[in-house]
Amino acid sequence: MKQAMEELQNAILEHVRSPKYQPVKPRAIAKALQIPSEEAHLVKKAVKELVKAGLLEFGSGHLVYPAGQRKTEDSPFRGGEIIGVFRRKEAGHGFVRPKSKPGDTEPPEDIFIPADWAGDASTGDLVRVRLAHRRWRGERALAGQIVEIVERQNSRFVGTYFEQEGQGFVQVDGTVFAQPIYVGDPGARGVHPDDKVVIEMLRFPSHHRNGEGVIVEVLGPLGKPGVDTLTIMREFNLPEEFPPEVLEEARAQAALFEEVIPPDRYDATEETTITIDPEDARDFDDAISLERREDGTWVLGVHIADVAHFVPAGSAIDREARERATSVYLPDRVIPMLPELLSNGLASLQPGKLRFTKSVYIEYTPDGVKTDVKIYRSVIRSDKRLTYEQVDAFLENPEAYRKAWGTKVHDLLLRMRDLARILRQRRRERGALELVMPEVKVNLDRRGRVIGAHLVPNTESHQMIEEFMLAANESVAETLRDRGWLFLRRIHKPPAERKLRLLQEFVEALGFPPRDLEDRFGLQGLLEYATGKPQQYAVHYAVLRSLQRAIYSPAEEGHYALASECYCHFTSPIRRYPDLTIHRLVDALLLGKNPRINPAELATLGEHCSDREERAEAAERELTRLKLLSFLSERIGMEMEGIITGVEKYGLFVQGVALPADGFIPVEALQDDYYDYDRTSHSLVGRRKGNQFRLGDLVQVAVAHVDLERRQLDFRLIAHRGHPTPGIVEESLAGFHNGKKAVKTNRHRSLSQRLNGTKTSKQRVKKPHGERSARKKSK
């Protein structure tokens, strides 16, 4: 093994030191060396060892350089060239978003790439761009020419097979490629017209030539049950079954585990502890205990499944978990980060069973001021498993449950309610933001088809658990910071000044009183002022658009939405790899060890976990879109209410209320007038009649056209309702369930979820929503 690693390292050094080498990421080096994809992790490991040895260096974006040859990286515009990610538009042109540099407060300006300067780059590719003119033919952007594909985002794509003039073609799904891809003789691999297939690109299309590929897998007809899910899984390269060595290790861990209390663990089995989860959850990774002392002080216990005990660093399970980085929650299945033998068995805090945990005990004054934090490697025995619905019913009439649940659980729940209210108020006082947007969740039948929907409430039971998870995450982060260790933080940067200026213009155009939105309390005050008013959705949508995305990084930055100076993810190690890394640091802390922490490696891991999280969300979003479009393709003309979620000079983006499908109304379809775009007020304004379509307005629309291959939905405007009432979602859902509107609905991806990355409760595993809006449960 050692000899093989040395040979691999020598091959990497020879490749990187060659005169034609251009800095790329380790996985691109693996492709260049023709290393099988299942062994690509060995290349990453070898590169890291060479970096430690001083033979290679990591550069911006974790590109690999020969030692001593890394270029100055203070600016993305080096020598008239930049490195960035390309996004191609249907017309052939595109834009490149340059990679940000550390400390940037404003996002870099996009580079406009004309169609004949884009080469064969496709969406998602990392490219090198040579800057050209300051402006390009009236485009409000820098312009440039792609001179190199640094790293391909994908080489495999999913599409629909068809035949034309005796030749086979595939129309790739979405808008990645405008033209079909030639795949050779018809009938290859037994494929039939209209089958969904996976192709490997042999030649990427460009402005000057067509693309060519080869079919590597036939998924089947789109209407066949499960094909839509397979389509998305292949499109996003999602994992499926665990490798045999991973399952073997999981079985070995199960064989070693005994339900006994080891002498080196704190015994918390006598404490009253409960879990609160969705009704359909199978893994229970957090439990709560809470003591109220005679002097009024509180001792909150947050007990988290000790996944690190079952997943040794560097093991096969760990390597696979690191590669997956997160569980993926699709509408009709879960792709877990860890084998279910661990996630639903050994690590799950099932009632009545001894389970290993990391316990965080946080002491508070009677009014919720934190005074002390203690962390233990512990053992608990959960007293009761409760659902959110059960707890909400309890909170409405606590005495009705005293006899059935026992006095200990009864009193614990009341203490939890009281402390959570105190903590929530204190968090609001320090400036935490709360986006009040409803969430609609899809209902599917056994074949994965849309059959209905329901509103996911943010009830007090959810808020209780949210507050305790936030408290534990923050307390662990502060403990590691005080130790002086680097760790993966969950950071959320403040909004860019430019976006806040645009937000200020928008809310003033709505007639709202002026506020200093650069001050977080001004932004918080705006959200509170808008809540309950007809303009609520418009303002909350606009605020969301101004906020940046939360990511994982060792950078010493806080979490803007939560108003937290130091924050990490600790409470969901079953489904998030960053949490597992924090658990290992806690182990080192408690065992008196000093972990070896490589800043470059940690930054690379943070980027990887952030990318995997974004991939998981995009896959969920696309599969939901595909299921909705399939449903609507059979219901052309169906009417529904929708909210305007985007306004551009070329039309309106609308999301259904009870059926949360995203569609578009072209400006040409607004035939009652000629409309001009007003950037300040996010609106289209009629020249003659003065009609105004604004962000957040309610409209009545009808399904006009569905394109399953491009995943596009066009609406036809029926009526303009103006600002919606805050209860419009409940009203619309009731209308659908009462039967006259043909349908029920799919899952609505709530605005709070787009901001950050944690999840809502779903099938099998609870997915806290927490920090994104600082409203929903964050684990």
Side-chain angles (χ1 to χ4, degrees), residues 70 99 129 168 192 209 253 283 296 307 312 321 326 356 377 398 471 531 564 580 582 612 663 701 734 745 760:
R70 182 176 59 175
K99 284 192 167 291
V129 176
H192 301 286
R209 68 183 186 190
Q253 289 291 340
D283 67 15
V307 174
T326 181
F356 293 171
R377 299 171 72 246
T531 299
S564 176
L580 182 54
I582 299 298
R612 283 290 188 259
V701 296
T745 170
T760 60

Side-chain angles (χ1 to χ4, degrees), residues 121-157:
S122 61
T123 294
D125 288 350
L126 186 68
V127 299
R128 185 161 59 92
V129 176
R130 181 175 297 130
L131 297 179
H133 314 290
R134 176 64 191 175
R135 301 291 173 189
W136 177 264
R137 298 177 184 174
E139 288 290 334
R140 298 180 58 196
L142 293 168
Q145 180 177 10
I146 294 177
V147 295
E148 181 189 1
I149 309 295
V150 176
E151 183 178 351
R152 290 283 186 189
Q153 170 74 6
N154 291 307
S155 60
R156 291 192 173 191
F157 299 88

Side-chain angles (χ1 to χ4, degrees), residues 272-276 286-292 298-301 386 388 391 394-395 408-424 460-461 463-469:
T272 302
T273 57
I274 61 173
T275 62
I276 303 177
D286 62 87
I288 300 296
S289 63
L290 179 59
E291 175 189 356
R292 185 78 184 267
W298 307 86
V299 181
L300 170 66
L386 296 172
Y388 289 120
V391 175
F394 167 89
L395 294 175
K408 289 184 177 180
V409 172
H410 172 277
D411 293 349
L412 170 60
L413 284 168
L414 293 181
R415 292 194 297 270
M416 290 170 61
R417 177 199 62 187
D418 295 343
L419 178 60
R421 288 176 178 177
I422 293 172
L423 297 181
R424 187 175 181 83
E460 188 163 15
S461 65
Q463 295 168 10
M464 284 165 44
I465 297 300
E466 172 191 8
E467 292 303 327
F468 301 148
M469 298 304 110

Side-chain angles (χ1 to χ4, degrees), residues 38 170 178 346 364 422 427 527 612 652 705:
E38 61 270 17
V170 171
L346 302 182
Y364 295 99
I422 293 172
R427 192 160 58 83
L527 290 170
R612 283 290 188 259
L652 306 171
H705 176 70

Side-chain angles (χ1 to χ4, degrees), residues 438-440 453 455 537 541 640-644 654-661 697-699 701 715 724 727-733 736 745-746 748:
E439 179 187 351
V440 177
L455 186 67
Y537 291 157
Y541 270 109
M640 66 179 75
E641 290 176 318
I643 291 179
I644 297 176
V654 175
Q655 184 178 77
V657 176
L659 185 68
D697 278 1
L698 182 68
V699 289
V701 296
F715 284 132
I728 186 63
V729 176
E730 292 86 345
E731 294 171 8
S732 294
L733 271 171
F736 274 98
T745 170
N746 187 310
H748 168 73

Side-chain angles (χ1 to χ4, degrees), residues 254-561:
L256 291 172
F257 178 68
E258 295 181 6
E259 287 194 47
V260 296
I261 302 175
D264 60 345
R265 284 184 176 265
Y266 174 72
D267 183 358
T269 57
E270 296 303 314
E271 298 179 21
T272 302
T273 57
I274 61 173
T275 62
I276 303 177
D277 296 89
E279 186 175 0
D280 54 2
R282 291 190 182 181
D283 67 15
F284 316 119
D285 53 6
D286 62 87
I288 300 296
S289 63
L290 179 59
E291 175 189 356
R292 185 78 184 267
R293 294 170 174 162
E294 291 184 0
D295 61 358
T297 58
W298 307 86
V299 181
L300 170 66
V302 180
H303 313 275
I304 305 301
D306 192 356
V307 174
H309 175 82
F310 302 104
V311 185
S315 64
I317 302 177
D318 179 52
R319 292 195 302 271
E320 183 69 16
R322 183 188 181 105
E323 175 61 26
R324 296 185 179 213
T326 181
S327 296
V328 182
Y329 299 92
L330 300 176
D332 53 2
R333 74 169 67 181
V334 177
I335 303 175
M337 184 182 79
L338 297 173
E340 292 187 348
L341 187 60
L342 299 181
S343 61
N344 293 352
L346 302 182
S348 183
L349 307 183
Q350 299 165 352
K353 293 183 177 292
L354 287 178
R355 286 294 183 259
F356 293 171
T357 51
K358 297 278 198 327
S359 294
V360 182
Y361 290 93
I362 311 170
E363 296 186 17
Y364 295 99
T365 64
D367 57 352
V369 176
K370 183 162 54 180
T371 58
D372 191 29
V373 175
K374 292 184 175 64
I375 307 175
Y376 299 98
R377 299 171 72 246
S378 56
V379 180
I380 72 164
R381 182 188 285 111
S382 173
D383 289 273
K384 194 168 187 62
R385 184 250 164 152
L386 296 172
T387 68
Y388 289 120
E389 293 79 6
Q390 288 176 318
V391 175
D392 286 325
F394 167 89
L395 294 175
E396 291 182 3
N397 185 11
E399 285 305 311
Y401 292 84
R402 181 186 292 274
K403 183 176 181 181
W405 292 358
T407 299
K408 289 184 177 180
V409 172
H410 172 277
D411 293 349
L412 170 60
L413 284 168
L414 293 181
R415 292 194 297 270
M416 290 170 61
R417 177 199 62 187
D418 295 343
L419 178 60
R421 288 176 178 177
I422 293 172
L423 297 181
R424 187 175 181 83
Q425 177 61 23
R426 294 194 66 86
R427 192 160 58 83
R428 192 195 69 80
E429 290 173 354
R430 75 185 189 189
L433 305 181
E434 182 173 347
L435 288 174
V436 182
M437 298 302 297
E439 179 187 351
V440 177
K441 184 176 177 181
V442 64
N443 297 331
L444 304 176
D445 64 14
R446 292 186 177 182
R447 301 180 64 188
R449 299 175 303 186
V450 175
I451 57 170
H454 64 275
L455 186 67
V456 179
N458 181 39
T459 61
E460 188 163 15
S461 65
H462 291 81
Q463 295 168 10
M464 284 165 44
I465 297 300
E466 172 191 8
E467 292 303 327
F468 301 148
M469 298 304 110
L470 290 173
N473 284 334
E474 189 173 59
S475 296
V476 170
E478 291 169 348
T479 301
L480 296 177
R481 176 200 61 191
D482 294 344
R483 186 76 175 202
W485 289 354
L486 282 177
F487 59 95
L488 272 189
R489 300 171 183 240
R490 184 67 168 179
I491 67 172
H492 183 221
K493 296 182 180 181
E497 292 181 7
R498 174 177 58 84
K499 290 192 173 184
L500 286 177
R501 288 194 299 270
L502 294 175
L503 177 62
Q504 183 76 56
E505 293 174 356
F506 173 63
V507 296
E508 289 183 2
L510 290 177
F512 279 34
R515 296 176 185 270
D516 179 11
L517 298 185
E518 293 186 14
D519 177 85
R520 63 175 309 105
F521 290 97
L523 192 58
Q524 183 192 60
L526 170 65
L527 290 170
E528 293 177 354
Y529 181 82
T531 299
K533 292 183 171 60
Q535 301 93 337
Q536 172 182 306
Y537 291 157
V539 172
H540 285 244
Y541 270 109
V543 169
L544 179 73
R545 291 155 70 101
S546 73
L547 296 176
Q548 302 194 52
R549 182 183 180 86
I551 60 172
Y552 296 107
S553 170
E556 296 183 10
E557 300 188 44
H559 196 296
Y560 180 79

